[in-house]
Amino acid sequence: MANLENALNIADQIRGLIEGQTAHPFKITASFGVTEVKESDDLKNVIDRADTALYEAKESGRNRVKTR
């Protein structure tokens, strides 16, 4: 399991690798939403926060990683 900072770095590395793919004639990008599991969380809370962060990444210009 990774802490929030490590998870953010991993997601950003993956995003960069996807963006760096040049074998296609079109640009490929990815957006990620990252969150931290808290002791009081249930699965729905975690997924909701990650989903909200993903939509924030897309709305702020795509090809980004956002945390919540």
Side-chain angles (χ1 to χ4, degrees):
M1 188 176 283
N3 65 30
L4 186 60
E5 184 178 336
N6 287 342
L8 176 64
N9 289 333
I10 291 166
D12 197 48
Q13 288 176 9
I14 295 168
R15 184 206 54 75
L17 290 170
I18 292 169
E19 181 184 27
Q21 296 297 314
T22 57
H24 302 287
F26 47 87
K27 186 175 179 178
I28 299 173
T29 63
S31 297
F32 293 88
V34 177
T35 194
E36 184 173 33
V37 177
K38 300 172 185 170
E39 207 170 302
S40 61
D41 278 338
D42 61 16
L43 183 59
K44 182 178 180 346
N45 293 82
V46 175
I47 292 172
D48 285 348
R49 276 198 315 274
D51 192 49
T52 299
L54 173 60
Y55 278 96
E56 288 174 359
K58 289 180 176 183
E59 290 172 1
S60 65
R62 299 185 182 259
N63 196 30
R64 300 171 195 277
V65 179
K66 293 284 186 172
T67 62
R68 262 221 162 233

